[in-house]
Amino acid sequence: MLNRWNPFELSNGAVALPLVDKEFDQLFRELSVRQGGARELVPPTDIYETAEGITLQVDLPGHDPKAIEVKVENDTLTLKSERKVERSDKEGAHRLERSFGVYARSFVLPRTVDTSKVEARYEHGVLTLTLPRRDESRPRVVEVKVNG
């Protein structure tokens, strides 16, 4: 009798998918950019575009707002912040899942953004960046005249 091969089945018949899932989960949790040996974490970001401009919402819970650096250089927006370990004594900890370290992210901005008017606001662990459009790039309504 032929048995169909299942790549997620172990030799004892158990399904290895939870093991693969756990490995992928760990891989994506550890996904980071390394520069100079220091681990940089990538904060999750939502990006919205309207007629007025672009809004970015960046999750940075537990960060000191005074330590958040927002820099616009040429056509690149760079965010950088660090969340430090709250307890130096990890003894007695049952599980440590929260990430600590340097968080950094860069975005290439479209030419339609007025980089001189970028605004940043931090509340409830979310950094909101407002990137207004240049006046000349905003959509205009043109009235259609009817001859008649």
Side-chain angles (χ1 to χ4, degrees), residues 109-129:
L109 301 176
R111 297 181 198 276
T112 58
V113 170
D114 188 348
T115 57
S116 67
K117 296 181 181 175
V118 173
E119 294 180 8
R121 185 177 74 251
Y122 182 79
E123 55 188 345
H124 306 295
V126 178
L127 175 67
T128 302
L129 297 163

Side-chain angles (χ1 to χ4, degrees), residues 66-78:
K66 294 175 185 169
I68 298 173
E69 180 183 314
V70 178
K71 184 168 68 171
V72 178
E73 190 173 358
N74 296 326
D75 64 345
T76 304
L77 172 75
T78 304

